[in-house]
Amino acid sequence: MSNIILDKSCESPRLTIAIPTFNRASYLKLNLGRIFSQLTSADAVEVIVIDNASTDDTFDVCKEFLEDSELKYIQLKQNMGMAASQYECFARATGKYLWILSDDDFIEPNAIKLILRTISSNLDLYAFNYKSNVDDASPPIGPRDSHKFELGYELMNFRSVGHMSGLVYHTNLALIHARKLWDIFPLNFFNTTRGIFGLVFASLAHNTSSSAHYEGKVLFSATEQKNLDYNGLILLCLTVFINFRIMHKLEIVGDKIYKFQIKLISARIRRSYIRWYPTLNDKDAIFVDYLLTPFFSNSLIDKLIFRLIKIKFIKNFLLFCFKLVL
Amino acid sequence: MKIIIEAFALRNAKSGTGRYAMDVISRISKEHDVVVITRDPDPKALEDLPSNIKIVLANNLSLVPANMYLYFFLGFFLRKFKCDFAIFLIGCRPLFYNKTYDLVICDFNHKIFPDSVKFITRQIYRASSSSSITGCRNLISISKGTSIKSKDFYGRSADFIINPSLLKFSNISPKPVAGLPDSFSVYVGAIEPRKNICNLLVAHEYAVDSGLISDKLLLVSSHSWLEGEVEAVLNKMHHSAMLTSIDEDELAWIYSHAKRVYMTTYYEGYGMPAAEAQHFGADVICTDIIELREATKDQEIYVGTSPVDILEGISMTLKTKTPFVDERSKLHLDLFESQISHYLSQVLDKSL
């Protein structure tokens, strides 16, 4: 399914920048332009585009850069979802470190220098700060101060950590974890988890024995997901909860990461219920009732909320209110 | 010798107890005159019983629920029969029956009650079980574990232990079942509250929807037990279906071809489907209770009863077994082949 059109790979690159992409030629062009304008031949950086069978001008865009720059273009013959293209990033990278950059996130000036400087400390895992691309004055999502942690999972203490483009992995270690996950789970499973990168990160963070680093300087600006409150989506809470239960059971993540995720969900669950439960269809409501509610209804208030919200009149009233407000 | 066999379990011929009842009745009837006493039996069960058996339906007092009838009224009903002795299959003799009898414990749950069983009902179960076990001529158990429990509880161990799973399928050749999905998981047994069906349905459905697995859940059971919450949930699920009218040889085939077999019930007397499934090499996900650990020789996947626990069990089957690895290898191979052909076609295009 994949076709290496041109391979001018650097010798022993220090960093691989891998961009999985699908039908976002204009974004990709902009991003590749920024990347190559920051690169010098001394940087020893490999750039890979994993084209997930795009049907737009993606190939033509890449062709422009193939002529006179260090770029590997890998085209998947058929679109097999986010997970497959992300896995290709782990599998194809030859740099010591890997940065998977989303095709709609735009790197900041000096971003590559920032990464190269940061990874010189030779740790297993790095997380970088980012900001929203709504305007130039957008504040960073995470704190501006940098931190070093003895255990990788502690990176998750920061709100900005978890975005795909904000993570830099030790390539070989990440590939080991990606393969382990790939061997256990069917491909379709990763497509409901927004790909494989998050699980690779959790797995690596759980198992990494050396330190991890959080860099407070902004690396990129992320495209806003308009009209979508990921933190508030009750079904996202459900997915995260179930996935981490499974990962925990399979010993892919440890107690501390699991508890951390549960804490995150607990902090959001009440708001999520009130906002999103009334909008669920019958089947999703059954999933939430059976899989999520029993674990997050410990307090009396929660029990009351979860019970009241199932009453048809209250459910309809809430829906009406949300329609008015939104 | 004329023997009465109580077989109310024939209400669902697909339940573990129901099929064990069929097995016991068939074997005893080879050497003795057998009268089977039952109530609202599954017509399929009656068809499958040997023709020399006399079947008596205890259908008087039809408004009285079956369980209550069994304890309080069956004893009176049986008094009119002249027989050498009776065999009760349920783990306790009806009250007011004072003739000689043997007792087969195949659904002995009296130490582990779910919350749904009311206090008074528990006391009735306990009292009748205790007096039945101490007073029977022979106490027949279907597993060692059951006899240990009875010894602990009533001070009597089993006189005979007959493990049904070792006998039932010894002479059966699996017979393919047409029309089943390519990939399926199975639950075999009655559909009643203690079987925890709703949690199983939700867990399986979620596992399919989330891409964890891709098989259909077949409930090998009887429609007659389908009611209330289970029916409501089942109607909302897209990856589950009932499968009725399955013969024993077909069941053997189903076990041997199932991706996994679920036995995630709240409690079991023995858990025969789990043992059967293991016998045919299926992956079994069981509730972590002593009966099922014993029935499956402590070699399967044991989980809690919540849907999340069952989901974890499903994920364990991915980790411990190899088919998915093979599937993935094949996928990689397919991808590799298509890579090569695509690459070649591009090269040819360029060359031309």
Side-chain angles (χ1 to χ4, degrees):
Chain A
M1 74 166 176
S2 114
N3 171 31
I4 302 170
I5 290 180
L6 190 64
D7 184 350
K8 295 181 184 176
S9 60
C10 314
E11 284 180 17
S12 307
R14 289 167 66 199
L15 174 70
T16 295
I17 303 171
I19 309 174
T21 188
F22 175 68
N23 280 358
R24 278 179 176 154
S26 56
Y27 284 0
L28 185 67
K29 185 174 184 176
L30 198 60
N31 237 338
L32 286 175
R34 289 188 182 189
I35 287 170
F36 284 109
S37 69
Q38 291 184 27
L39 280 180
T40 65
S41 56
D43 287 334
V45 173
E46 171 190 54
V47 183
I48 304 176
V49 171
I50 307 287
D51 180 358
N52 209 350
S54 297
T55 52
D56 64 356
D57 299 332
T58 297
F59 173 73
D60 295 330
V61 166
C62 291
K63 209 171 165 187
E64 291 174 27
F65 292 92
L66 287 166
E67 303 297 329
D68 51 12
S69 59
E70 304 288 348
L71 175 68
K72 282 183 179 175
Y73 171 71
I74 296 166
Q75 187 184 54
L76 308 186
K77 191 181 176 186
Q78 63 184 109
N79 188 327
M80 298 188 68
M82 280 188 265
S85 61
Q86 288 171 12
Y87 182 81
E88 288 296 317
C89 295
F90 289 109
R92 303 278 182 168
T94 59
K96 184 178 178 189
Y97 286 95
L98 169 65
W99 178 26
I100 303 179
L101 179 64
S102 178
D103 57 5
D104 60 347
D105 293 333
F106 300 105
I107 66 170
E108 291 288 292
N110 298 320
I112 294 173
K113 280 197 167 46
L114 173 65
I115 290 188
L116 290 173
R117 193 169 59 242
T118 308
I119 61 176
S120 61
S121 56
N122 288 323
L123 306 181
D124 289 346
L125 198 53
Y126 295 89
F128 289 79
N129 205 353
Y130 71 98
K131 64 176 190 175
S132 163
N133 72 351
V134 174
D135 59 62
D136 288 342
S138 297
I141 305 292
R144 294 169 194 270
D145 297 332
S146 300
H147 294 266
K148 187 180 173 190
F149 297 107
E150 290 308 312
L151 291 170
Y153 73 83
E154 290 180 284
L155 286 171
M156 284 193 288
N157 285 312
F158 296 120
R159 199 178 151 213
S160 57
V161 176
H163 195 294
M164 182 175 80
S165 305
L167 301 171
V168 173
Y169 319 79
H170 187 288
T171 308
N172 288 343
L173 285 176
L175 185 58
I176 289 169
H177 290 277
R179 280 187 177 145
K180 195 167 76 175
L181 289 163
W182 195 256
D183 278 341
I184 295 172
F185 296 103
L187 186 63
N188 287 345
F189 177 68
F190 299 113
N191 289 332
T192 62
T193 61
R194 302 176 71 202
I196 199 172
F197 85 92
L199 299 175
V200 171
F201 166 71
S203 179
L204 182 57
H206 164 54
N207 288 290
T208 185
S209 54
S210 67
S211 311
H213 180 85
Y214 169 77
E215 176 54 54
K217 290 196 176 94
V218 171
L219 186 68
F220 64 97
S221 54
T223 302
E224 284 267 302
Q225 299 281 352
K226 289 192 176 64
N227 302 323
L228 191 59
D229 176 8
Y230 271 116
N231 290 335
L233 275 171
I234 193 71
L235 288 179
L236 186 72
C237 288
L238 175 64
T239 308
V240 171
F241 171 60
I242 296 296
N243 288 347
F244 274 87
R245 274 288 293 237
I246 289 172
M247 297 298 144
H248 185 234
K249 183 77 179 176
L250 298 183
E251 296 172 352
I252 292 167
V253 302
D255 290 343
K256 288 185 176 170
I257 290 183
Y258 172 68
K259 282 176 186 164
F260 184 85
Q261 291 294 340
I262 297 300
K263 205 172 147 190
L264 283 182
I265 298 169
S266 298
R268 293 172 165 87
I269 194 89
R270 202 178 291 168
R271 186 167 62 92
S272 304
Y273 246 93
I274 295 169
R275 173 63 188 89
W276 293 102
Y277 189 87
T279 67
L280 297 179
N281 63 36
D282 287 350
K283 190 173 161 186
D284 287 340
I286 287 176
F287 284 152
V288 170
D289 288 344
Y290 277 81
L291 294 163
L292 197 64
T293 310
F295 289 90
F296 294 96
S297 56
N298 299 323
S299 75
L300 199 61
I301 294 174
D302 286 335
K303 278 180 186 157
L304 196 64
I305 289 172
F306 298 161
R307 194 158 283 194
L308 287 176
I309 214 162
K310 290 185 179 60
I311 298 170
K312 204 172 179 183
F313 165 73
I314 295 176
K315 200 170 141 180
N316 290 338
F317 176 72
L318 283 171
L319 275 175
F320 175 73
C321 291
F322 291 138
K323 271 182 192 165
L324 279 183
V325 174
L326 301 173
Chain B
M1 192 182 286
K2 191 174 178 183
I3 299 170
I4 286 180
I5 301 179
E6 168 278 313
F8 274 41
L10 295 184
R11 278 182 299 174
N12 188 344
K14 292 298 160 220
S15 71
T17 314
R19 286 183 299 115
Y20 185 60
M22 297 282 288
D23 189 37
V24 169
I25 293 165
S26 302
R27 278 189 281 137
I28 293 175
S29 68
K30 284 177 187 165
E31 295 177 16
H32 305 284
D33 293 336
V34 169
V35 178
V36 170
I37 309 291
T38 185
R39 186 181 172 100
D40 300 328
D42 186 335
K44 183 83 175 72
L46 298 186
E47 279 174 28
D48 292 347
L49 283 172
S51 56
N52 61 334
I53 289 170
K54 186 180 177 190
I55 295 163
V56 175
L57 301 180
N59 281 346
N60 59 328
L61 301 173
S62 58
L63 292 178
V64 178
N67 271 350
M68 195 184 287
Y69 182 89
L70 199 62
Y71 288 112
F72 294 105
F73 301 103
L74 183 62
F76 288 114
F77 183 78
L78 293 180
R79 283 181 180 185
K80 63 184 176 186
F81 291 94
K82 287 182 181 172
C83 62
D84 296 299
F85 66 93
I87 295 176
F88 297 107
L89 293 174
I90 54 167
C92 63
R93 163 198 58 154
L95 297 169
F96 317 115
Y97 184 82
N98 298 318
K99 295 182 184 175
T100 310
Y101 63 94
D102 286 349
L103 196 62
V104 180
I105 299 178
C106 55
D107 198 4
F108 188 77
N109 313 308
H110 308 100
K111 285 180 75 178
I112 312 160
F113 291 101
D115 294 339
S116 57
V117 176
K118 290 178 181 155
F119 176 78
I120 293 179
T121 313
R122 292 177 193 210
Q123 304 320 312
I124 293 170
Y125 280 165
R126 284 201 170 113
S128 63
S129 302
S130 173
S131 65
S132 308
I133 286 175
T134 49
C136 69
R137 190 182 71 158
N138 288 309
L139 180 65
I140 304 161
S141 169
I142 64 170
S143 80
K144 199 179 167 190
T146 310
S147 67
I148 290 168
K149 278 194 306 181
S150 62
K151 191 175 180 180
D152 287 347
F153 203 61
Y154 300 112
R156 177 170 178 175
S157 47
D159 301 299
F160 302 102
I161 294 170
I162 307 170
N163 186 326
S165 67
L166 302 177
L167 303 170
K168 272 179 63 63
F169 288 105
S170 53
N171 297 318
I172 286 181
S173 303
K175 180 181 163 191
V177 185
L180 294 189
D182 291 340
S183 179
F184 59 86
S185 294
V186 177
Y187 162 80
V188 178
I191 293 178
E192 53 177 315
R194 81 176 167 94
K195 297 293 188 180
N196 194 23
I197 301 294
C198 286
N199 284 350
L200 171 60
L201 286 170
V202 172
H204 183 89
E205 187 82 5
Y206 186 85
V208 177
D209 280 1
S210 65
L212 203 58
I213 54 174
S214 56
D215 43 85
K216 193 151 187 159
L217 171 59
L218 303 175
L219 303 172
V220 181
S221 190
S222 164
H223 275 294
S224 60
W225 287 64
L226 193 60
E227 58 183 10
E229 190 185 4
V230 175
E231 190 166 18
V233 172
L234 183 60
N235 287 339
K236 295 279 188 309
M237 302 292 122
H238 302 135
H239 307 295
S240 303
M242 293 281 290
L243 192 62
T244 55
S245 307
I246 294 296
D247 294 328
E248 293 296 283
D249 49 0
E250 292 175 321
L251 186 59
W253 187 88
I254 287 172
Y255 280 137
S256 58
H257 286 77
K259 282 273 183 195
R260 58 193 70 76
V261 175
Y262 297 106
M263 199 72 197
T264 49
T265 57
Y266 288 118
Y267 63 93
E268 281 297 329
Y270 178 69
M272 202 165 75
E276 292 169 350
Q278 187 181 49
H279 178 75
F280 285 100
D283 292 348
V284 190
I285 299 174
C286 303
T287 313
D288 193 359
I289 52 176
I290 188 70
E291 293 79 4
L292 288 173
R293 276 193 180 269
E294 185 178 3
T296 55
K297 304 174 191 75
D298 215 359
Q299 306 242 318
E300 296 297 333
I301 293 168
Y302 303 95
V303 296
T305 52
S306 81
V308 178
D309 294 327
I310 298 169
L311 265 169
E312 287 178 351
I314 293 171
S315 68
M316 293 291 284
T317 63
L318 305 183
K319 191 178 184 185
T320 55
K321 308 293 176 181
T322 53
F324 285 91
V325 176
D326 296 338
E327 187 181 87
R328 190 151 302 107
S329 305
K330 185 178 173 302
L331 177 72
H332 274 302
L333 193 63
D334 289 344
L335 295 181
F336 180 71
E337 283 170 358
S338 59
Q339 270 180 37
I340 297 291
S341 60
H342 185 57
Y343 179 53
L344 285 175
S345 67
Q346 293 264 339
V347 170
L348 282 174
D349 285 345
K350 279 192 171 184
S351 310
L352 292 170

